Amino acid sequence: MNCQTLLIDDAPAVRLQGAAGDTVTVLLRGAQVISWVDASGVERLYCSPASPLKGPQAVRGGVPVIFPQFAARGSLMRHGWARMRGWTLQPWDTSAPEPSVSLQLHNAVGDDPQWPHACVCTLTVSLLPNGLRMALTVENTGPASFSFHAALHTYLAVGDVAQTTLAGVLPEGAVLSLREPIDQIFEAVTGPLQLHSPLGLLRLEHAGFGDVVVWNPGPDAGLADLPPLGHTAFACVEAAAVMQPVALAPGAHWQGSQTLLSGL
């Protein structure tokens, strides 16, 4: 396993390289994956060139960790605070079956008065022979139960969203065209999903998450951190726990994962 820490545009990050030359790069701020280059040399994630990696705003692209609130479904900042905070890089686990890196975030009772719960979040990112797995674990370290939303808000590079389709979210095997703007939560999706785009096929698998969110803002969103034609280059397909929030008792933990597989 080849793993190094580095600065990218003044933002601390860690980069992991697999045996086949595939790489994954993760920012320490937000534990946000910003790049996955697969074994064939193709960049599979989209990260907006108009979004500074060092902040202070959230980075648009890669895989933001959404926790403990999804969008504006609560009183916290949009999509919660996990993607805005600094995470701590954990010691390398050389015994792991795949090259992996883990980052951890501790939240104390007083860190956010609007969410007074103690917890530990861990994101483990692993390079597979033909893919990438991201696993988010949440542990309740406080004395009271709490509920939360969570998602891995994955911006997938597609080359041209007008020529991209997604299978696995609609009933009876129907295929979803991503030609038009979309912002939709698909409930109780078991997967797997297949994303067909000019960059090739991606198989998407998830566990622990019950929902799938599909999003592309289209040409008229007017997002300041997205180039004028940026929306054409990606499709967000994210494993999520939104419609049924996760409830954790004291001492309990939950894990949700999303796996991206290429070249299949």
Side-chain angles (χ1 to χ4, degrees):
M1 178 179 72
N2 184 353
C3 193
Q4 65 176 131
T5 56
L6 67 163
L7 286 176
I8 307 176
D9 295 335
D10 294 326
V14 58
R15 178 170 293 154
L16 183 66
Q17 182 172 355
D22 46 333
T23 62
V24 60
T25 305
V26 190
L27 296 180
L28 270 59
R29 186 170 76 105
Q32 186 161 341
V33 178
I34 56 168
S35 170
W36 168 44
V37 178
D38 68 14
S40 66
V42 176
E43 174 60 72
R44 291 295 185 171
L45 299 177
Y46 174 83
C47 201
S48 172
S51 182
L53 298 182
K54 64 179 180 180
Q57 292 80 20
V59 175
R60 184 170 299 283
V63 189
V65 176
I66 307 305
F67 176 88
Q69 175 182 298
F70 183 83
R73 294 170 178 250
S75 60
L76 305 178
M77 68 171 65
R78 183 176 179 82
H79 284 327
W81 34 254
R83 63 182 181 151
M84 304 294 286
R85 292 189 186 173
W87 292 51
T88 302
L89 186 62
Q90 301 300 290
W92 315 128
D93 182 3
T94 56
S95 65
E98 305 97 10
S100 300
V101 62
S102 292
L103 297 96
Q104 202 165 80
L105 174 66
H106 291 251
N107 188 75
V109 170
D111 287 350
D112 189 325
Q114 294 181 297
W115 204 79
H117 305 291
C119 67
V120 177
C121 300
T122 305
L123 184 76
T124 299
V125 180
S126 304
L127 287 171
L128 310 181
N130 292 297
L132 176 73
R133 182 175 63 241
M134 299 164 288
L136 175 65
T137 301
V138 180
E139 180 184 1
N140 183 349
T141 56
S145 299
F146 61 77
S147 297
F148 62 89
H149 301 140
L152 297 173
H153 189 8
T154 308
Y155 286 71
L156 297 167
V158 296
D160 182 3
V161 74
Q163 301 180 55
T164 300
T165 61
L166 181 65
V169 294
L170 296 177
E172 300 178 1
V175 174
L176 176 68
S177 170
L178 300 181
R179 177 179 296 271
E180 300 297 328
I182 186 171
D183 186 1
Q184 188 168 347
I185 301 173
F186 296 90
E187 297 183 57
V189 176
T190 58
L193 315 179
Q194 295 83 36
L195 185 79
H196 294 262
S197 80
L199 294 186
L201 172 67
L202 273 182
R203 178 183 170 97
L204 313 178
E205 301 175 352
H206 60 269
F209 292 106
D211 308 317
V212 171
V213 181
V214 181
W215 180 73
N216 182 281
D220 301 321
L223 299 173
D225 57 358
L226 192 66
L229 295 178
H231 72 281
T232 65
F234 72 87
C236 283
V237 182
E238 54 191 291
V242 178
M243 304 309 291
Q244 294 291 331
V246 178
L248 273 190
H253 73 276
W254 165 90
Q255 184 178 90
S257 66
Q258 184 171 31
T259 302
L260 317 178
L261 298 166
S262 68
L264 300 180

